[in-house]
Amino acid sequence: MGEQETTDIAVLKEQVNSLRDRLSTLEKDVQSKFDRIEKKLDDAIKGRPSWAMAILLSSLMTVCTGLAVYILTH
């Protein structure tokens, strides 16, 4: 191998090592964000929704379905 090829390989190895470090840092950052989101979702989901909320959601789904059927058939 020539000196240029050796230099190119060394540069590529350094870039790969740098990218591995960046990927590792990014994975840790994403994992910590998912952990925070999971905790917030767990806090938000605790308990059942009230009857009013259940009726409201059911009503909205019924209206949306009815409007979708109406739009598609007319």
Side-chain angles (χ1 to χ4, degrees):
M1 272 199 267
E3 187 176 325
Q4 180 63 33
E5 291 174 342
T6 305
T7 304
D8 290 344
I9 291 172
V11 168
L12 289 174
K13 284 182 179 179
E14 185 59 38
Q15 288 176 345
V16 167
N17 289 335
S18 173
L19 288 172
R20 282 184 183 152
D21 292 342
R22 289 176 60 190
L23 178 61
S24 176
T25 303
L26 181 63
E27 286 175 339
K28 289 176 186 175
D29 186 42
V30 168
Q31 185 62 45
S32 69
K33 288 181 192 233
F34 274 124
D35 289 344
R36 287 197 319 248
I37 289 172
E38 184 179 12
K39 183 174 177 355
K40 287 180 182 179
L41 283 174
D42 287 344
D43 291 344
I45 292 175
K46 283 184 182 173
R48 296 184 305 183
S50 66
W51 280 105
M53 185 60 69
I55 292 170
L56 177 66
L57 289 174
S58 298
S59 301
L60 286 174
M61 288 298 296
T62 303
V63 169
C64 289
T65 303
L67 287 173
V69 169
Y70 176 80
I71 290 171
L72 292 173
T73 58
H74 285 84

Coordinates of all heavy atoms in Angstrom, one line a residue:
M1 N 0.8 -1.2 0.0 CA 0.0 0.0 0.0 C 0.9 1.2 0.0 O 1.9 1.3 0.6 CB -0.9 0.0 1.2 CG -2.2 -0.7 1.1 SD -3.4 -0.2 2.3 CE -3.1 -1.5 3.6
G2 N 0.4 2.3 -0.7 CA 1.1 3.5 -0.7 C 0.8 4.3 0.5 O -0.1 4.0 1.3
E3 N 1.6 5.4 0.6 CA 1.4 6.3 1.8 C 0.0 7.0 1.7 O -0.6 7.2 2.8 CB 2.5 7.4 1.8 CG 2.5 8.3 3.0 CD 3.6 9.2 3.0 OE1 4.7 8.9 2.5 OE2 3.4 10.4 3.5
Q4 N -0.5 7.3 0.6 CA -1.8 8.0 0.4 C -2.9 7.0 0.9 O -3.8 7.4 1.6 CB -2.0 8.4 -1.1 CG -3.4 9.1 -1.3 CD -3.5 10.4 -0.6 OE1 -2.6 11.1 -0.3 NE2 -4.7 10.7 -0.1
E5 N -2.8 5.7 0.5 CA -3.8 4.8 0.9 C -3.8 4.6 2.4 O -4.9 4.5 3.0 CB -3.6 3.4 0.2 CG -3.9 3.5 -1.3 CD -3.5 2.2 -2.0 OE1 -2.7 1.4 -1.4 OE2 -4.0 2.0 -3.1
T6 N -2.7 4.5 3.0 CA -2.6 4.4 4.4 C -3.2 5.6 5.1 O -3.9 5.4 6.1 CB -1.1 4.3 4.9 OG1 -0.5 3.2 4.1 CG2 -0.9 4.0 6.3
T7 N -2.9 6.8 4.6 CA -3.5 8.0 5.2 C -5.0 8.0 5.0 O -5.7 8.3 6.0 CB -2.9 9.3 4.5 OG1 -1.5 9.2 4.6 CG2 -3.5 10.5 5.1
D8 N -5.5 7.6 3.9 CA -7.0 7.5 3.6 C -7.6 6.5 4.6 O -8.7 6.8 5.2 CB -7.3 7.1 2.2 CG -6.9 8.2 1.2 OD1 -6.7 9.3 1.6 OD2 -6.8 7.8 0.0
I9 N -7.0 5.4 4.8 CA -7.6 4.4 5.7 C -7.6 4.9 7.2 O -8.5 4.8 7.9 CB -6.8 3.1 5.6 CG1 -7.0 2.4 4.3 CG2 -7.1 2.1 6.8 CD1 -6.2 1.2 4.0
A10 N -6.5 5.6 7.6 CA -6.5 6.2 8.9 C -7.6 7.2 9.1 O -8.2 7.3 10.1 CB -5.1 6.8 9.2
V11 N -7.8 8.1 8.0 CA -8.8 9.1 8.1 C -10.2 8.4 8.2 O -11.0 8.8 9.0 CB -8.8 10.0 6.9 CG1 -10.0 10.9 6.8 CG2 -7.5 10.9 6.9
L12 N -10.4 7.4 7.4 CA -11.7 6.7 7.5 C -11.9 6.0 8.8 O -13.0 6.0 9.4 CB -11.8 5.6 6.4 CG -11.9 6.2 4.9 CD1 -11.8 5.0 3.9 CD2 -13.2 6.9 4.8
K13 N -10.9 5.4 9.4 CA -11.0 4.8 10.7 C -11.4 5.9 11.8 O -12.2 5.6 12.6 CB -9.7 4.1 11.1 CG -9.5 2.8 10.5 CD -8.2 2.1 10.9 CE -8.0 0.8 10.3 NZ -6.7 0.2 10.7
E14 N -10.8 7.0 11.7 CA -11.1 8.1 12.6 C -12.5 8.6 12.5 O -13.2 8.9 13.4 CB -10.1 9.3 12.4 CG -10.2 10.4 13.4 CD -10.1 9.9 14.9 OE1 -9.2 9.1 15.1 OE2 -10.8 10.4 15.8
Q15 N -13.0 8.7 11.2 CA -14.3 9.1 11.0 C -15.3 8.1 11.5 O -16.4 8.4 12.1 CB -14.6 9.3 9.5 CG -13.9 10.5 8.9 CD -14.1 10.7 7.4 OE1 -14.4 9.8 6.7 NE2 -13.8 11.9 6.9
V16 N -15.0 6.8 11.3 CA -15.9 5.7 11.8 C -16.0 5.8 13.4 O -17.0 5.7 14.0 CB -15.4 4.3 11.4 CG1 -16.1 3.2 12.1 CG2 -15.6 4.2 9.9
N17 N -14.8 6.0 14.0 CA -14.8 6.1 15.5 C -15.6 7.3 15.9 O -16.3 7.2 16.9 CB -13.4 6.1 16.0 CG -12.6 4.8 15.9 OD1 -13.3 3.8 15.8 ND2 -11.3 4.9 15.8
S18 N -15.5 8.4 15.2 CA -16.2 9.6 15.6 C -17.7 9.4 15.4 O -18.5 9.8 16.3 CB -15.7 10.8 14.7 OG -16.6 11.9 14.9
L19 N -18.1 8.7 14.3 CA -19.5 8.4 14.1 C -20.1 7.5 15.1 O -21.2 7.6 15.6 CB -19.7 7.9 12.7 CG -19.5 8.9 11.6 CD1 -19.6 8.2 10.2 CD2 -20.6 10.0 11.6
R20 N -19.3 6.5 15.6 CA -19.7 5.6 16.6 C -20.0 6.3 17.9 O -20.9 6.1 18.6 CB -18.7 4.5 16.8 CG -18.7 3.4 15.8 CD -17.7 2.3 16.1 NE -17.7 1.3 15.1 CZ -16.7 0.6 14.8 NH1 -15.5 0.7 15.5 NH2 -16.7 -0.3 13.8
D21 N -19.1 7.2 18.3 CA -19.2 8.0 19.5 C -20.5 8.9 19.4 O -21.3 9.0 20.4 CB -18.0 8.9 19.7 CG -16.8 8.1 20.1 OD1 -16.9 7.0 20.5 OD2 -15.7 8.7 20.0
R22 N -20.7 9.5 18.2 CA -21.9 10.3 18.1 C -23.2 9.5 18.1 O -24.2 9.9 18.7 CB -21.8 11.1 16.7 CG -20.8 12.2 16.7 CD -20.7 12.8 15.4 NE -21.9 13.4 14.9 CZ -22.1 13.9 13.7 NH1 -21.2 13.8 12.8 NH2 -23.3 14.4 13.4
L23 N -23.1 8.3 17.5 CA -24.3 7.4 17.6 C -24.6 7.0 19.0 O -25.7 7.0 19.5 CB -24.1 6.2 16.7 CG -25.2 5.1 16.7 CD1 -26.5 5.7 16.2 CD2 -24.8 4.0 15.9
S24 N -23.6 6.7 19.8 CA -23.7 6.3 21.1 C -24.4 7.4 22.0 O -25.3 7.2 22.8 CB -22.4 5.9 21.7 OG -22.5 5.6 23.1
T25 N -23.9 8.6 21.8 CA -24.4 9.8 22.5 C -25.9 10.0 22.1 O -26.7 10.3 22.9 CB -23.6 11.0 22.1 OG1 -22.2 10.8 22.5 CG2 -24.1 12.2 22.9
L26 N -26.2 9.9 20.8 CA -27.5 10.0 20.3 C -28.5 9.0 20.9 O -29.6 9.3 21.3 CB -27.6 10.0 18.8 CG -28.9 10.2 18.1 CD1 -29.5 11.6 18.5 CD2 -28.8 10.0 16.6
E27 N -28.0 7.7 20.9 CA -28.8 6.7 21.5 C -29.2 6.9 23.0 O -30.3 6.7 23.4 CB -28.1 5.3 21.4 CG -28.1 4.8 20.0 CD -27.3 3.5 19.8 OE1 -26.4 3.3 20.7 OE2 -27.5 2.8 18.9
K28 N -28.2 7.4 23.7 CA -28.4 7.7 25.1 C -29.4 8.9 25.3 O -30.3 8.8 26.1 CB -27.1 8.1 25.8 CG -26.2 6.9 26.0 CD -24.9 7.3 26.6 CE -23.9 6.2 26.7 NZ -22.6 6.6 27.1
D29 N -29.3 9.9 24.4 CA -30.2 11.0 24.4 C -31.6 10.6 24.1 O -32.6 11.0 24.8 CB -29.7 12.1 23.5 CG -30.5 13.4 23.5 OD1 -30.8 13.8 24.7 OD2 -30.8 14.0 22.5
V30 N -31.8 9.8 23.1 CA -33.1 9.4 22.7 C -33.7 8.5 23.7 O -34.9 8.6 24.1 CB -33.0 8.6 21.3 CG1 -34.3 7.9 21.0 CG2 -32.7 9.6 20.2
Q31 N -32.9 7.6 24.3 CA -33.4 6.7 25.4 C -33.9 7.6 26.6 O -35.0 7.3 27.2 CB -32.4 5.7 25.8 CG -32.9 4.7 26.8 CD -34.0 3.9 26.3 OE1 -33.9 3.4 25.2 NE2 -35.0 3.7 27.1
S32 N -33.2 8.6 26.9 CA -33.6 9.4 28.1 C -34.9 10.1 27.8 O -35.7 10.3 28.6 CB -32.5 10.4 28.5 OG -32.3 11.4 27.5
K33 N -35.0 10.6 26.5 CA -36.3 11.3 26.1 C -37.4 10.3 26.1 O -38.5 10.7 26.6 CB -36.1 11.9 24.8 CG -35.2 13.1 24.8 CD -35.0 13.8 23.4 CE -33.9 14.7 23.6 NZ -34.0 16.0 23.2
F34 N -37.2 9.1 25.7 CA -38.3 8.1 25.7 C -38.7 7.8 27.1 O -39.9 7.6 27.5 CB -37.9 6.8 25.0 CG -38.2 6.9 23.5 CD1 -37.2 6.7 22.6 CD2 -39.5 7.1 23.0 CE1 -37.4 6.7 21.2 CE2 -39.7 7.1 21.6 CZ -38.7 6.9 20.7
D35 N -37.7 7.7 28.0 CA -38.0 7.4 29.4 C -38.8 8.5 30.0 O -39.8 8.3 30.8 CB -36.7 7.3 30.2 CG -36.0 6.0 29.9 OD1 -36.6 5.1 29.3 OD2 -34.8 5.9 30.2
R36 N -38.5 9.8 29.7 CA -39.3 10.9 30.2 C -40.7 10.9 29.6 O -41.7 11.1 30.4 CB -38.6 12.2 29.9 CG -37.4 12.5 30.7 CD -36.9 14.0 30.7 NE -37.0 14.6 29.3 CZ -36.0 14.9 28.6 NH1 -34.8 14.8 29.0 NH2 -36.2 15.5 27.4
I37 N -40.8 10.6 28.3 CA -42.2 10.5 27.7 C -43.0 9.4 28.3 O -44.2 9.6 28.6 CB -42.1 10.4 26.2 CG1 -41.5 11.6 25.6 CG2 -43.4 10.0 25.6 CD1 -41.2 11.5 24.1
E38 N -42.3 8.3 28.6 CA -43.0 7.1 29.2 C -43.6 7.5 30.5 O -44.7 7.1 30.9 CB -42.1 5.9 29.2 CG -42.8 4.7 29.7 CD -41.8 3.5 29.7 OE1 -40.6 3.7 29.6 OE2 -42.3 2.4 29.9
K39 N -42.7 8.2 31.3 CA -43.2 8.6 32.7 C -44.4 9.5 32.6 O -45.3 9.4 33.3 CB -42.0 9.2 33.4 CG -42.4 9.6 34.8 CD -41.2 10.1 35.6 CE -41.5 10.6 37.0 NZ -42.8 10.6 37.5
K40 N -44.3 10.5 31.7 CA -45.4 11.4 31.5 C -46.7 10.7 31.1 O -47.8 11.0 31.6 CB -45.0 12.5 30.5 CG -44.0 13.5 31.1 CD -43.7 14.6 30.1 CE -42.6 15.5 30.7 NZ -42.3 16.6 29.7
L41 N -46.6 9.8 30.2 CA -47.7 9.0 29.7 C -48.3 8.2 30.9 O -49.5 8.1 31.0 CB -47.4 8.1 28.5 CG -47.2 8.8 27.2 CD1 -46.7 7.8 26.2 CD2 -48.5 9.4 26.8
D42 N -47.4 7.6 31.6 CA -47.9 6.8 32.8 C -48.7 7.7 33.8 O -49.7 7.3 34.3 CB -46.7 6.1 33.5 CG -46.2 4.9 32.7 OD1 -46.9 4.4 31.8 OD2 -45.1 4.5 33.1
D43 N -48.2 8.9 34.0 CA -48.9 9.8 34.9 C -50.2 10.3 34.3 O -51.2 10.4 35.0 CB -48.0 11.1 35.1 CG -46.8 10.7 36.0 OD1 -46.7 9.7 36.6 OD2 -45.8 11.5 36.0
A44 N -50.2 10.5 33.0 CA -51.5 10.9 32.3 C -52.5 9.8 32.3 O -53.7 10.1 32.3 CB -51.2 11.4 30.9
I45 N -52.1 8.6 32.2 CA -53.1 7.5 32.0 C -53.6 7.0 33.3 O -54.7 6.3 33.3 CB -52.4 6.3 31.2 CG1 -52.1 6.7 29.8 CG2 -53.2 5.0 31.3 CD1 -51.3 5.7 29.0
K46 N -53.0 7.3 34.4 CA -53.4 6.8 35.7 C -54.9 7.1 35.9 O -55.4 8.2 35.7 CB -52.7 7.5 36.9 CG -51.3 6.9 37.0 CD -50.6 7.5 38.2 CE -49.2 6.9 38.3 NZ -48.4 7.6 39.3
G47 N -55.6 6.1 36.4 CA -57.1 6.2 36.6 C -57.9 6.1 35.3 O -57.3 6.1 34.2
R48 N -59.2 5.9 35.4 CA -60.0 5.8 34.3 C -60.6 7.2 33.9 O -60.6 8.1 34.8 CB -61.2 4.9 34.6 CG -60.8 3.5 34.9 CD -62.0 2.7 35.1 NE -62.9 3.3 36.2 CZ -64.0 2.7 36.6 NH1 -64.4 1.6 36.2 NH2 -64.7 3.3 37.6
P49 N -60.9 7.4 32.7 CA -61.5 8.7 32.3 C -62.9 8.8 32.9 O -63.6 7.7 33.2 CB -61.6 8.6 30.8 CG -61.6 7.2 30.4 CD -60.8 6.5 31.5
S50 N -63.4 10.0 33.1 CA -64.7 10.1 33.7 C -65.8 9.7 32.7 O -65.5 9.6 31.5 CB -64.9 11.6 34.1 OG -64.9 12.4 32.9
W51 N -67.0 9.5 33.2 CA -68.1 9.2 32.4 C -68.4 10.2 31.3 O -68.7 9.9 30.1 CB -69.4 8.9 33.2 CG -69.4 7.6 33.8 CD1 -69.2 7.3 35.1 CD2 -69.6 6.3 33.1 NE1 -69.2 5.9 35.3 CE2 -69.5 5.3 34.1 CE3 -69.8 5.9 31.8 CZ2 -69.6 3.9 33.8 CZ3 -70.0 4.6 31.5 CH2 -69.9 3.6 32.5
A52 N -68.2 11.5 31.7 CA -68.4 12.6 30.8 C -67.4 12.5 29.6 O -67.8 12.7 28.4 CB -68.3 13.9 31.5
M53 N -66.2 12.2 29.9 CA -65.2 12.1 28.9 C -65.5 10.9 28.0 O -65.3 11.0 26.8 CB -63.8 12.0 29.5 CG -62.7 12.0 28.5 SD -62.6 13.5 27.5 CE -62.1 14.7 28.7
A54 N -65.9 9.8 28.6 CA -66.2 8.6 27.8 C -67.4 8.9 26.8 O -67.3 8.5 25.6 CB -66.5 7.4 28.7
I55 N -68.4 9.6 27.3 CA -69.6 9.9 26.5 C -69.1 10.9 25.4 O -69.6 10.8 24.2 CB -70.7 10.5 27.3 CG1 -71.3 9.3 28.2 CG2 -71.8 11.1 26.5 CD1 -72.2 9.8 29.3
L56 N -68.3 11.9 25.7 CA -67.9 12.9 24.8 C -67.1 12.2 23.6 O -67.3 12.5 22.5 CB -67.0 13.9 25.4 CG -66.4 15.0 24.6 CD1 -67.5 15.9 23.9 CD2 -65.4 15.9 25.3
L57 N -66.1 11.3 24.0 CA -65.3 10.6 23.0 C -66.2 9.8 22.1 O -66.0 9.7 20.9 CB -64.3 9.8 23.6 CG -63.1 10.6 24.3 CD1 -62.2 9.7 25.0 CD2 -62.3 11.3 23.2
S58 N -67.2 9.1 22.7 CA -68.1 8.2 21.9 C -68.9 9.0 21.0 O -69.1 8.7 19.8 CB -69.0 7.4 22.8 OG -68.3 6.6 23.6
S59 N -69.4 10.2 21.4 CA -70.2 11.1 20.6 C -69.4 11.6 19.4 O -69.8 11.6 18.3 CB -70.7 12.2 21.4 OG -71.5 11.8 22.5
L60 N -68.2 12.0 19.7 CA -67.3 12.6 18.6 C -67.0 11.5 17.6 O -67.0 11.8 16.4 CB -66.0 13.1 19.2 CG -66.1 14.5 20.0 CD1 -64.8 14.8 20.6 CD2 -66.6 15.6 19.0
M61 N -66.7 10.3 18.0 CA -66.5 9.2 17.1 C -67.7 8.9 16.2 O -67.6 8.7 15.0 CB -66.0 7.9 17.8 CG -64.6 8.0 18.4 SD -63.4 8.3 17.1 CE -63.5 6.8 16.2
T62 N -68.9 8.9 16.8 CA -70.1 8.7 16.1 C -70.4 9.8 15.1 O -70.7 9.5 13.9 CB -71.3 8.6 17.1 OG1 -71.0 7.6 18.0 CG2 -72.6 8.3 16.4
V63 N -70.2 11.0 15.5 CA -70.4 12.1 14.5 C -69.3 12.1 13.4 O -69.7 12.2 12.2 CB -70.2 13.5 15.3 CG1 -70.2 14.7 14.3 CG2 -71.4 13.7 16.2
C64 N -68.1 11.8 13.7 CA -67.1 11.7 12.6 C -67.3 10.6 11.7 O -67.2 10.8 10.5 CB -65.7 11.5 13.3 SG -65.1 13.0 14.1
T65 N -67.8 9.5 12.2 CA -68.1 8.3 11.3 C -69.3 8.6 10.5 O -69.3 8.4 9.3 CB -68.4 7.1 12.2 OG1 -67.2 6.8 13.0 CG2 -68.7 5.9 11.3
G66 N -70.3 9.2 11.1 CA -71.5 9.6 10.3 C -71.1 10.6 9.2 O -71.6 10.5 8.0
L67 N -70.3 11.6 9.5 CA -70.0 12.6 8.5 C -69.1 12.0 7.4 O -69.3 12.3 6.2 CB -69.2 13.8 9.1 CG -70.0 14.7 10.0 CD1 -69.1 15.7 10.7 CD2 -71.0 15.4 9.1
A68 N -68.2 11.1 7.7 CA -67.4 10.4 6.7 C -68.3 9.6 5.8 O -68.1 9.6 4.6 CB -66.4 9.5 7.4
V69 N -69.2 8.9 6.3 CA -70.2 8.1 5.5 C -71.0 9.0 4.6 O -71.2 8.7 3.4 CB -71.1 7.2 6.4 CG1 -72.2 6.5 5.6 CG2 -70.2 6.1 7.1
Y70 N -71.5 10.1 5.2 CA -72.3 11.0 4.4 C -71.5 11.6 3.2 O -71.9 11.7 2.1 CB -72.8 12.1 5.3 CG -73.5 13.2 4.5 CD1 -74.9 13.0 4.2 CD2 -72.9 14.4 4.2 CE1 -75.6 14.0 3.5 CE2 -73.6 15.4 3.5 CZ -74.9 15.2 3.1 OH -75.6 16.1 2.4
I71 N -70.2 12.0 3.5 CA -69.4 12.6 2.5 C -69.1 11.6 1.4 O -69.1 11.9 0.2 CB -68.1 13.2 3.1 CG1 -68.4 14.4 3.9 CG2 -67.0 13.5 2.0 CD1 -67.2 14.9 4.7
L72 N -68.8 10.3 1.8 CA -68.4 9.3 0.8 C -69.6 8.9 -0.1 O -69.5 8.4 -1.2 CB -67.8 8.1 1.5 CG -66.5 8.3 2.1 CD1 -66.0 7.1 2.9 CD2 -65.4 8.6 1.1
T73 N -70.8 9.0 0.5 CA -72.0 8.5 -0.3 C -72.7 9.6 -1.0 O -73.6 9.3 -1.9 CB -73.0 7.9 0.7 OG1 -73.4 8.8 1.7 CG2 -72.4 6.6 1.3
H74 N -72.4 10.9 -0.8 CA -73.1 12.0 -1.5 C -72.1 12.7 -2.4 O -71.0 12.9 -2.3 CB -73.8 12.9 -0.6 CG -75.0 12.4 0.0 ND1 -75.0 11.5 1.1 CD2 -76.3 12.5 -0.4 CE1 -76.2 11.2 1.4 NE2 -77.1 11.7 0.5

